[in-house]
Amino acid sequence: MKINGEITPPGDKSISHRSFMFGALAQGTTIIRDVLESRDINSTKEAVQSLGAQVGKDGNIWVVTGGSLREPAAVVDAGNSGTTARLVSGICAGINGVTTITGDSSLVLRPMGRVIKPLEEMGARFLARAQRYLPMAIQGGSLMAISYDMEVASAQVKSALLLAGMSAQGTTTVNEPTKSRDHTERMLAYFGAPPVIEGNRISISGNTRLEARDISVPGDPSSAAFPAVWAASTPGSRLLIRNVCINPTRTGFISVLERMGAHISIENILEKAGEPVGDIMIHGETLQATTIQGEEIPKLIDEIPVLVVAACLAQGTTVIRDASELRVKETDRIAAMVKGLCRLGAVIQECDDGMIIEGPARLDSGSIETFSDHRIAMSFYVLAQAFDIDITLDDITCVDISYPNFFSSMESLI
Ligand code: S3P
């Protein structure tokens, strides 16, 4: 089924998390507009409150007063949010005292060793389940700067180290194997403390102080990707997506859709809180298969499930490689997509680090396990609409993690 119309996605999830965290760390009062109001962001809001930040709401505007964080009195519950757990662990590594972080049944299975190892090198002490999973307790305090070569391209690990480095003795340097989303670096600059960036090496000095700012959160490209794929891969569709963050570390899915033959243009480009923002115009086409791999992966890691939907609609064999990080997201997203698509009749091969998809797929209606993963649920919804088949999802409430009015927004386009 084709679509027509225009849509404004909710606020960017990564930038919304950081807005509350930076507001909590900065001296003074930070005003946040257009923040994403979702379950994940609520986890971060409650986490910074328990660390001592004052958080209030005036109409649609959030007001955060920070600058003197302290040991929390109770356990911090990061819910389903990896960004909350990992970035808050970086903040707490620099706070004198003990913080305990836990999460829901998905988050307690996700790897925390990637933040524990470098933060321990800086001098924080951790007690974690099986040494690498939540729940974990962090004894923070006086940190020493380190120079750290990251094993995986992860903005969450990079951000945790930069946040810890802000209060360490000396200059902390993080070296990424491939560039991941750079919202933390941009927000540091926006709050008056630009890090030094040389290629994939980012350095922050230990006496970094942030000054409160007004933030307007741009729309989330990861949420925009769902209607974008739907429009791009159904000939005759026309869709305008307004106010989207077009930070180049996030727009890999647009490059892939263009490579597959979609007609996409970006207009009205401006800047909000140090981030480029624009309106995306999409005209649908019959897409051609492509290969997605290498340095492109971190720029579209969250969009791969919905790009798999584009691959199912495209002509030819689409190959996705170098994406083993998908196995440690809210669920194992490679297994979840392959299992669901096989069930509907697609020809798809699972690889350790990706998938090989034969298109165009001939699909039957059916029921799908979402594994309570918001992006799996939204991807199969788009698949059902684009293919005009009936799909029953076992959990639709999980979309509240990142896109609370997803279904009504999508229905407005039909
Ligand atoms: C995020 C970084 C990415 C992404 C996640 C949000 C962030 O995770 O998948 O949805 O806000 O920093 P990794 O850093 O683990 O790759």
Side-chain angles (χ1 to χ4, degrees):
M1 189 195 306
K2 63 180 183 179
I3 49 172
N4 208 305
E6 65 177 74
I7 194 168
T8 303
D12 185 80
K13 183 155 79 69
S14 293
I15 299 172
S16 296
H17 281 300
R18 288 160 175 79
S19 300
F20 278 110
M21 292 181 198
F22 276 65
L25 288 163
Q27 298 292 336
T29 297
T30 290
I31 306 279
I32 316 170
R33 290 185 174 78
D34 300 331
V35 78
L36 169 65
E37 304 222 4
S38 79
R39 253 153 64 191
D40 267 13
I41 302 308
N42 194 50
S43 300
T44 286
K45 189 205 85 186
E46 288 181 355
V48 300
Q49 281 177 308
S50 70
L51 294 175
Q54 302 294 316
V55 181
K57 203 176 178 194
D58 183 3
N60 288 332
I61 297 171
W62 287 91
V63 182
V64 183
T65 305
S68 53
L69 300 187
R70 47 152 171 77
E71 176 188 56
V75 172
V76 171
D77 185 354
N80 192 248
S81 172
T83 308
T84 310
R86 298 197 178 106
L87 271 61
V88 166
S89 68
I91 294 173
C92 292
I95 296 178
N96 260 315
V98 175
T99 305
T100 305
I101 305 177
T102 192
D104 71 5
S105 57
S106 152
L107 192 57
V108 298
L109 300 176
R110 297 181 62 188
M112 293 296 146
R114 52 184 62 192
V115 287
I116 294 175
K117 183 169 173 267
L119 292 173
E120 276 184 336
E121 274 183 37
M122 294 177 82
R125 285 166 54 205
F126 283 78
L127 200 57
R129 188 172 58 84
Q131 283 87 55
R132 57 185 187 283
Y133 296 112
L134 299 179
M136 66 187 184
I138 309 163
Q139 164 91 61
S142 352
L143 301 180
M144 293 297 297
I146 56 167
S147 179
Y148 191 71
D149 289 332
M150 286 166 44
E151 283 153 31
V152 284
S154 162
Q156 294 178 355
V157 176
K158 171 175 66 177
S159 303
L161 297 189
L162 294 175
L163 291 168
M166 281 173 50
S167 64
Q169 205 180 323
T171 296
T172 296
T173 300
V174 191
N175 193 11
E176 298 193 87
T178 310
K179 196 165 175 59
S180 65
R181 65 189 67 192
D182 62 359
H183 304 301
T184 298
E185 296 92 306
R186 285 173 186 259
M187 206 173 275
L188 280 166
Y190 189 66
F191 275 68
V196 175
I197 304 175
E198 295 155 305
N200 290 354
R201 290 167 66 85
I202 305 115
S203 301
I204 184 121
S205 98
N207 49 18
T208 296
R209 297 282 168 272
L210 304 179
E211 288 160 27
R213 289 282 189 261
D214 284 9
I215 301 175
S216 209
V217 178
D220 196 328
S222 299
S223 296
F226 296 99
V229 163
W230 184 357
S233 53
T234 44
S237 286
R238 184 200 154 278
L239 178 67
L240 178 63
I241 315 179
R242 290 196 189 275
N243 188 42
V244 184
C245 177
I246 49 166
N247 177 325
T249 61
R250 296 289 301 283
T251 50
F253 75 97
I254 296 178
S255 313
V256 168
L257 290 174
E258 285 181 320
R259 198 159 76 221
M260 294 174 86
H263 294 294
I264 303 182
S265 57
I266 301 179
E267 296 149 17
N268 301 328
I269 298 174
L270 46 89
E271 202 175 286
K272 286 188 178 176
E275 296 278 353
V277 180
D279 297 339
I280 305 176
M281 185 72 210
I282 303 170
H283 291 276
E285 270 297 339
T286 300
L287 300 183
Q288 303 302 317
T290 189
T291 296
I292 310 172
Q293 62 186 1
E295 300 215 334
E296 198 164 40
I297 294 295
K299 297 182 178 64
L300 46 69
I301 188 73
D302 291 340
E303 290 67 71
I304 292 178
V306 76
L307 286 172
V308 171
V309 174
C312 288
L313 288 149
Q315 312 265 351
T317 306
T318 292
V319 178
I320 301 172
R321 303 311 295 257
D322 306 319
S324 52
E325 276 295 297
L326 286 179
R327 295 206 181 268
V328 291
K329 293 296 177 188
E330 285 81 330
T331 189
D332 175 341
R333 287 180 173 159
I334 296 177
M337 290 308 293
V338 170
K339 188 169 182 201
L341 283 166
C342 282
R343 194 165 181 162
L344 302 176
V347 180
I348 180 165
Q349 188 190 320
E350 178 169 354
C351 315
D352 286 351
D353 63 347
M355 285 159 266
I356 302 171
I357 307 124
E358 301 297 337
R362 268 191 264 127
L363 301 180
D364 302 318
S365 297
S367 55
I368 288 294
E369 271 179 278
T370 59
F371 302 92
S372 294
D373 181 320
H374 52 137
R375 301 202 202 282
I376 299 296
M378 292 188 277
S379 297
F380 277 104
Y381 172 86
V382 168
L383 180 92
Q385 302 306 321
F387 274 88
D388 254 325
I389 55 174
D390 289 323
I391 290 183
T392 311
L393 302 171
D394 66 346
D395 178 7
I396 53 168
T397 61
C398 54
V399 305
D400 291 351
I401 294 292
S402 63
Y403 200 157
N405 62 353
F406 173 73
F407 294 109
S408 56
S409 290
M410 295 305 111
E411 276 156 24
S412 74
L413 299 171
I414 298 173

